[in-house]
């Protein structure tokens, strides 16, 4: 899943990073994934972003990431 996020969804990770840490980075890298959240590496630092609730399956992680991306896109438009 980390490889997939890094190869196909850097735009989504960039929006999430902007929403949570107000950082602009067009190419953050997912460096870790836990049931509780994930780490993004950006500008030589690691940033932890928690899911709203722990995920108990890959599908739950996917749904959490999709929701976070949708939320970040909505806030970036506002």
């Amino acid at each position: 899943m980390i490889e997939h996020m890094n190869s196909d969804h850097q735009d989504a990770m960039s929006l999430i990073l902007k929403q949570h840490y107000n950082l602009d980075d067009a190419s953050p890298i997912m460096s870790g994934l836990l049931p509780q959240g994930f780490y993004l590496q950006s500008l030589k630092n690691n940033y932890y972003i928690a899911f709203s609730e722990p995920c108990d399956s890959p599908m739950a992680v996917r749904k959490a990431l999709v929701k976070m991306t949708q939320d970040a896109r909505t806030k970036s438009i506002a």
Side-chain angles (χ1 to χ4, degrees):
M1 187 171 289
I2 291 174
E3 184 177 319
H4 169 71
M5 290 299 295
N6 287 333
S7 64
D8 294 344
H9 298 293
Q10 282 193 322
D11 60 332
M13 293 186 299
S14 181
L15 285 170
I16 293 168
L17 186 64
K18 175 71 173 176
Q19 179 185 6
H20 287 267
Y21 287 97
N22 198 30
L23 292 173
D24 291 313
D25 183 354
S27 55
I29 296 169
M30 184 178 282
S31 57
L33 179 61
L34 304 166
Q36 300 83 6
F38 58 97
Y39 289 92
L40 293 179
Q41 185 176 21
S42 172
L43 308 173
K44 299 184 180 180
N45 292 304
N46 281 309
Y47 298 91
Y48 180 74
I49 300 171
F51 296 133
S52 59
E53 59 187 54
C55 297
D56 60 0
S57 70
M59 182 57 73
V61 170
R62 181 187 178 281
K63 287 180 181 180
L65 288 168
V66 167
K67 177 154 182 16
M68 290 178 107
T69 301
Q70 290 170 341
D71 291 348
R73 282 193 175 125
T74 300
K75 289 187 180 184
S76 73
I77 294 170

